[in-house]
Amino acid sequence: MKKYHKDYVFEIGTGKDGKEEKRYRYAGDYYLFPDAEAEKKKIFIKNSAFVLLYFLLIITAGMLDNEGSRNFFIAVPYVFLFLPAVYLSLGTAAFLKLNEKMERPVYDRAFGRMYRNCIGIMSVSLYLCAADSVFIFLRFHGGEDFSVVREVVFLFENIAIFCLSFIQKKYLQNLKKGVMIGEYNSEVP
């Protein structure tokens, strides 16, 4: 939590039993998401659908047994595509616990994590599209015998992942526009 250390203030006060008590109080900005309770389930269901589609596309692309999946420059980034997908699902799950008024760490664990990992999925899938296109081009012009259909299916699944992440990124940007940043008020935490 060192990343949020500027948002907390150290205080010394008296506790309920009259003893001196040391504690940290949040004094950073609050993120206000209006209609959080009414919209929370809809947003969770939409993001869960995105996550489910990501995992479906990633797993089916891995089950193709294409020659590109045995290439180092395609196989390693493909494996790393799972990591942002898992963190995206964690951010989606954390979204259910959001209140209308959020502290910065809570906001980052939900909105921030979903947005960052969506961009991560988009960048890795874009790389995979480019790498698989180069692989297909080199194999096709090299005259080597390989299954073009599997490679093209793998390529189109990565294009679908890229398009899906682009759509979700736009969706999350629209959600972030609805979040208002409010300053800490000393009377009302």
Side-chain angles (χ1 to χ4, degrees), residues 153-167:
V153 170
F154 183 79
L155 177 64
F156 278 117
E157 287 195 6
N158 282 305
I159 291 171
I161 291 170
F162 175 76
C163 292
L164 191 65
S165 61
F166 184 77
I167 292 167

Side-chain angles (χ1 to χ4, degrees), residues 40 59 66 69 88 147 159 188:
K40 195 185 314 186
I59 290 171
N66 56 332
S69 66
L88 180 69
S147 175
I159 291 171
V188 181

Side-chain angles (χ1 to χ4, degrees), residues 5-12 23-28 184:
H5 73 282
K6 292 181 182 178
D7 293 334
Y8 289 90
V9 176
F10 182 71
E11 291 181 337
I12 298 175
R23 65 178 175 249
Y24 286 95
R25 177 182 53 83
Y26 184 77
Y184 177 78

Side-chain angles (χ1 to χ4, degrees), residues 21-37:
E21 188 177 82
K22 300 176 184 178
R23 65 178 175 249
Y24 286 95
R25 177 182 53 83
Y26 184 77
D29 292 336
Y30 282 95
Y31 293 83
L32 306 167
F33 187 58
D35 301 327
E37 294 301 319

Side-chain angles (χ1 to χ4, degrees), residues 34-54:
D35 301 327
E37 294 301 319
E39 294 287 319
K40 195 185 314 186
K41 288 185 181 179
K42 290 180 187 177
I43 295 169
F44 174 75
I45 290 170
K46 287 178 184 177
N47 283 308
S48 295
F50 280 118
V51 168
L52 185 65
L53 286 172
Y54 285 134

